[in-house]
Amino acid sequence: MTEVKGIIAAMQTAMNEDGSINEKEMRKQINRQIDAGVDAVFCLGTNGEFYIMNEQEKLDVMKIFVDEVAGRVPVYAGTGCVSTKDTIALSQKAKDIGVNVLSVITPYFAAINQNELYEHFYSLSESVDLPIVMYNMPARTGASLAPATVGKLAKNCKNIVGVKDSSGNFNNILQYIDETKDSDFSVLSGNDALILWTLLAGGQGGITAIANILPSVMVSIYQYYLKGDMEAAKKAQASIAPIRDCFKYGNPNSIVKCATNLIGQPVGPCRKPFGMVSEEAKKAIMEVISTYYSEYIGK
């Protein structure tokens, strides 16, 4: 079973100006991440705009990732849907394509309780023989995986091997770690600012959007941690604060994609209606890039 750890790049889906998938650029970006030393690549997450793609497009993206990666690093794919039935079906197709790890967001929109969340993930684990990383993002889904629920699933489902927490609440990460400390289970930060602190608390790494902009910086956080060079790790972790501050200008997905384009990586627009970043915001983002990250422009 694939070991869930390290810096996992939450990759954007490269698109043409008309919103269609840009396969050539997507393949280029996959290699850019691998060349930077990421531990895995992840398609169809929040930054991959899974929420605005139809099933065939999702399958096409997975096939491109599996083909281009060619076994060099694990491929994670987001397969979470609102219904359990659809989540299982898409996850089974992901396995057939050759995806290594499933990232499964909680069902969203309709209110859901912890028993329903438990049954959803338990049913998935019984139906698909792949490692599953649960994805907790309550601000966007309206559902929050309670630490006790995560602990119960970790104990009862051998292929539920991790959880990504994007709540931004470090205490939630600490509780996940505490609830799963007696099992072979990985707690990952979905908040780039908390990756090092998650590692120091006993977690295994992070799934990072900022890797689209600064892949080598994100990789260095983990590598310095492994070497025991905590001062360098803290410096690398702190260095991403200026670009994260730009999230105040809009949807973080849109800001990250805008910044990626501005450093000379033509990943294209977000699919409409999203991605409308003002000229004022673009100017501010470019100023941050020029001030703090000029050495990365064009890389």
Side-chain angles (χ1 to χ4, degrees):
M1 188 171 286
T2 302
E3 194 171 359
V4 174
K5 65 175 185 178
I7 297 299
I8 301 151
M11 291 187 62
Q12 299 157 338
T13 301
M15 292 182 180
N16 298 304
E17 288 303 314
D18 64 358
S20 60
I21 292 170
N22 184 342
E23 179 177 343
K24 182 178 179 180
E25 186 60 32
M26 193 181 305
R27 290 178 182 273
K28 176 186 170 186
Q29 292 300 320
I30 291 167
N31 286 301
R32 175 176 169 244
Q33 295 294 330
I34 293 174
D35 290 345
V38 298
D39 296 281
V41 292
F42 171 27
C43 63
L44 302 173
T46 303
N47 277 270
E49 299 176 74
F50 81 93
Y51 48 84
I52 203 165
M53 292 186 186
N54 62 40
E55 182 178 284
Q56 187 57 56
E57 288 173 322
K58 291 178 181 180
L59 297 176
D60 290 344
V61 168
M62 287 186 229
K63 289 174 184 176
I64 292 167
F65 266 72
V66 170
D67 179 67
E68 190 62 36
V69 169
R72 289 176 288 170
V73 296
V75 174
Y76 291 53
T79 56
C81 302
V82 175
S83 80
T84 303
K85 179 181 177 181
D86 289 344
T87 301
I88 289 171
L90 186 58
S91 298
Q92 289 172 337
K93 291 175 183 178
K95 180 183 177 181
D96 292 341
I97 288 168
V99 165
N100 303 107
V101 180
L102 303 175
S103 172
V104 182
I105 199 163
T106 59
Y108 43 91
F109 188 78
I112 189 168
N113 63 41
Q114 294 302 307
N115 287 334
E116 290 167 330
L117 284 168
Y118 177 86
E119 289 300 326
H120 174 75
F121 283 105
Y122 184 87
S123 296
L124 175 62
S125 74
E126 291 287 291
S127 303
V128 184
D129 186 20
L130 273 182
I132 297 165
V133 174
M134 299 178 290
Y135 182 5
N136 186 57
M137 197 177 200
R140 304 231 189 159
T141 64
S144 184
L145 273 165
T149 303
V150 169
K152 186 178 176 183
L153 286 162
K155 179 180 179 181
N156 296 337
C157 305
K158 65 179 182 179
N159 61 326
I160 292 184
V161 298
V163 64
K164 171 191 176 183
D165 183 69
S166 293
S167 68
N169 180 352
F170 188 56
N171 188 55
N172 201 58
I173 288 176
L174 294 177
Q175 289 184 71
Y176 284 167
I177 292 170
D178 186 62
E179 286 285 345
T180 59
K181 62 179 182 290
D182 296 326
S183 58
D184 187 13
F185 190 86
S186 298
V187 176
L188 304 169
S189 174
N191 184 317
D192 299 82
L194 297 177
I195 290 175
L196 177 59
W197 316 118
T198 298
L199 288 165
L200 291 170
Q204 280 68 42
I207 297 180
T208 162
I210 298 295
N212 290 286
I213 311 167
L214 304 168
S216 60
V217 172
M218 300 313 299
V219 167
S220 74
I221 295 171
Y222 185 59
Q223 292 303 316
Y224 285 131
Y225 166 78
L226 291 178
K227 293 174 184 176
D229 189 344
M230 292 306 129
E231 288 307 309
K234 289 176 183 178
K235 183 177 179 180
Q237 177 70 81
S239 74
I240 67 170
I243 196 66
R244 282 183 52 82
D245 285 345
C246 291
F247 289 176
K248 65 188 176 186
Y249 293 110
N251 181 340
N253 307 29
S254 301
I255 299 303
V256 169
K257 209 164 196 183
C258 176
T260 306
N261 282 297
L262 287 173
I263 64 168
Q265 299 294 333
V267 292
C270 291
R271 187 169 282 180
K272 293 181 179 179
F274 306 103
M276 295 179 67
V277 179
S278 70
E279 290 304 315
E280 176 190 6
K282 290 178 183 177
K283 182 179 178 181
I285 294 165
M286 195 64 218
E287 184 176 342
V288 167
I289 290 168
S290 299
T291 302
Y292 296 95
Y293 313 117
S294 59
E295 68 269 32
Y296 295 101
I297 293 177
K299 293 183 180 179

